[in-house]
Amino acid sequence: MTLNPRLAAALCVALSLCALLAVPGNFPALDGDARLTLAVFALATCAWIGTPIDDTYIALGAGLALTATGVISSDTLFGTLGDDTVWLLICAFVLAAAVARTGLAGRAAAFLVGGARGVRQLVHLTTAALVVTAFAVPATSGRAALALPVFLALAKALADRKRLVVMLALLFPTVILLSAVATLIGAGAHLITVSVLWEATGDRIGFTQWLLLGLPLAVASSHLAAEAVLLTTTRRADRKGPVHITAEEIQRHSEDPVTGPWTQAEKRCALLLATVVALWCSEPLHHVPPAVVALIGAVVASSPALGTVRLKDALRTVPWSLLLFMAATMAMGVALADSGAAKWLVSGLPADVAPAVFLGVVVAVSTAAHLVLQSRSARSSVLVPLVIAAAVGAGVNPVAAALASTAAAGFCHTLPASAKPVTLFSDIPGTPTYTPRDLLRLSAVLAPLTAALVLFFAAAVWPLLGVPVTR
């Protein structure tokens, strides 16, 4: 049997690192726990990169290995499942199921997109609508599935303008991925970052603070990306001419009415969602944790009298595999920090590096990491503990460094397999869509643009919002 070259390379790297760590004379500054942690971390990372094994299975195996060898306690491993960020994501998916059941998304699409009269206007109205969905639906794959019927309706209405259809096919996943940074629940990687940051430094980023820091970046990067998509996939002639999308065309791809009087279920669900988001944003005033607010909203959304979805049906939409992955990687982050392994890994870095240079390297590495690690959560699991440890040694604010790394890692557009939304929109039967060449052309423009924008926010905008570059 012939080994896949990528798998063979990953195995060679992992086994070589483990062999070096196994020799007592090597790396005298490392104790036994740190050696075991680095070995497990190296094996897990190489398995994520080079094998088709499920990411969650690898993470659970790594967490179990660290527990069995005594690096972390069983309470640490199992306690991560009770973390409030895990509960926040569970309840957010229940709320999302309630929203999806009512058909509010179709009404919002008809209202926003129906007002477009030109190509550029259509692009930016669609972008604005996709950014808003980050507040209603957690995880980028869920938002992509919710947005697909809207894209199909637009593609049908623009069937005689193929380049515009291809452009929209590329626009949807691009904006979904870049706008995820708007909210804490936008991606599982955000929750991993918050948890690792809390365990390593004691700094806690709440829903409101993340919103304050992430939403402006999400809006700016999404509309910048929209222009990049428009200019790289269409010609000037394609962008001329009127565009008119009717509610009837959107209705053909929606099982629920997108116009007319609102049903009682739609009114209740819209009011509940608005209330939950308002309570999340006003946390500094009432001091109720976002996870508790989300739990109250989930209970109401699934209640027999006021709810729009049964609890057991809503719980089926929760990505339990992602939650287990998050819990296991949180435990890995604790092991890296507590054993001293993360600090040792970055101890050889120059201590006198300028903060701007440090952030530039972090953003560049995080932007390119999707070429090696396809899972966004896996990228944060690997990078964030190391970034935090390196930031402390370099005198950079670890909060700024961790946020910059996580935001930059949201770029994953180079290949169809780089992210689930990109994969979903790359192959739609009966509808023209983009090719790998289109993705490469866009990435060549968008990668440096988004990296520069993240660096600008980290160095110039976030300090004005309470997150300085240095401490």
Side-chain angles (χ1 to χ4, degrees), residues 194-417:
V194 168
S195 178
V196 172
L197 195 60
W198 167 252
E199 294 287 348
T201 67
D203 292 314
R204 171 73 77 178
I205 301 179
F207 186 94
T208 306
Q209 187 182 14
W210 189 290
L211 182 69
L212 180 65
L213 299 169
L215 181 57
L217 175 59
V219 172
S221 61
S222 295
H223 285 281
L224 180 67
E227 281 295 323
V229 170
L230 185 61
L231 295 176
T232 57
T233 56
T234 63
R235 298 169 182 168
R236 182 174 297 179
D238 300 319
R239 298 189 288 272
K240 291 182 178 179
V243 169
H244 183 58
I245 310 296
T246 65
E248 289 74 18
E249 288 166 329
I250 296 178
Q251 181 68 74
R252 294 193 193 104
H253 295 271
S254 176
E255 297 177 358
D256 302 295
V258 297
T259 57
W262 286 36
T263 65
Q264 289 300 316
E266 288 173 329
K267 292 177 182 178
R268 290 197 305 269
C269 190
L271 178 61
L272 175 62
L273 183 62
T275 303
V276 168
V277 173
L279 289 173
W280 278 339
C281 296
S282 58
E283 180 191 355
L285 299 178
H286 53 70
H287 302 294
V288 179
V292 175
V293 172
L295 182 57
I296 295 171
V299 169
V300 174
S302 59
S303 64
L306 300 174
T308 59
V309 64
R310 293 189 301 175
L311 182 60
K312 65 178 183 180
D313 294 332
L315 289 176
R316 290 194 188 103
T317 67
V318 177
W320 297 105
S321 178
L322 172 62
L323 296 177
L324 289 173
F325 178 88
M326 286 172 50
T329 52
M330 286 175 191
M332 292 173 64
V334 171
L336 278 170
D338 291 353
S339 69
K343 185 176 181 180
W344 178 85
L345 277 174
V346 299
S347 60
L349 297 177
D352 57 348
V353 63
V357 174
F358 179 86
L359 286 175
V361 173
V362 166
V363 169
V365 171
S366 301
T367 301
H370 72 283
L371 298 173
V372 179
L373 281 167
Q374 274 74 35
S375 168
R376 190 173 188 162
S377 297
R379 292 199 292 277
S380 288
S381 302
V382 172
L383 292 173
V384 171
L386 303 181
V387 167
I388 291 172
V392 172
V396 175
N397 184 357
V399 176
L403 284 172
S405 174
T406 305
F411 176 84
C412 38
H413 303 67
T414 307
L415 302 170

Side-chain angles (χ1 to χ4, degrees), residues 10-209:
L11 283 174
C12 287
V13 171
L15 293 176
S16 298
L17 289 172
C18 291
L20 288 172
L21 291 167
V23 178
N26 291 335
F27 318 118
L30 287 174
D31 61 14
D33 283 354
R35 289 174 184 273
L36 285 169
T37 301
L38 287 175
V40 170
F41 191 74
L43 287 170
T45 302
C46 291
W48 281 328
I49 294 172
T51 71
I53 301 173
D54 185 78
D55 290 342
T56 302
Y57 187 85
I58 295 169
L60 288 174
L64 182 60
L66 292 169
T67 304
T69 53
V71 177
I72 58 174
S73 66
S74 59
D75 289 341
T76 299
L77 177 64
F78 297 127
T80 53
L81 276 172
D83 191 272
D84 58 351
T85 56
V86 173
W87 278 93
L88 174 62
L89 196 59
I90 292 173
C91 297
F93 270 98
V94 173
L95 287 167
V99 172
R101 183 64 61 91
T102 60
L104 282 174
R107 284 188 181 273
F111 174 76
L112 285 170
V113 178
R117 294 296 177 266
V119 174
R120 181 165 270 108
Q121 190 179 16
L122 172 66
V123 166
H124 286 283
L125 284 175
T126 301
T127 298
L130 290 172
V131 172
V132 171
T133 62
F135 295 91
V137 182
T140 53
S141 56
R143 292 168 62 204
L146 184 71
L148 184 59
V150 178
F151 164 71
L152 291 174
L154 296 177
K156 191 73 173 177
L158 299 169
D160 58 334
R161 302 169 75 175
K162 182 180 176 181
R163 286 185 184 275
L164 292 187
V165 176
V166 172
M167 179 271 295
L168 288 172
L170 194 51
L171 176 72
F172 271 72
T174 298
V175 174
I176 286 170
L177 289 167
L178 293 179
S179 62
V181 74
T183 72
L184 183 59
I185 61 172
H190 302 169
L191 304 179
I192 292 172
T193 297
V194 168
S195 178
V196 172
L197 195 60
W198 167 252
E199 294 287 348
T201 67
D203 292 314
R204 171 73 77 178
I205 301 179
F207 186 94
T208 306
Q209 187 182 14

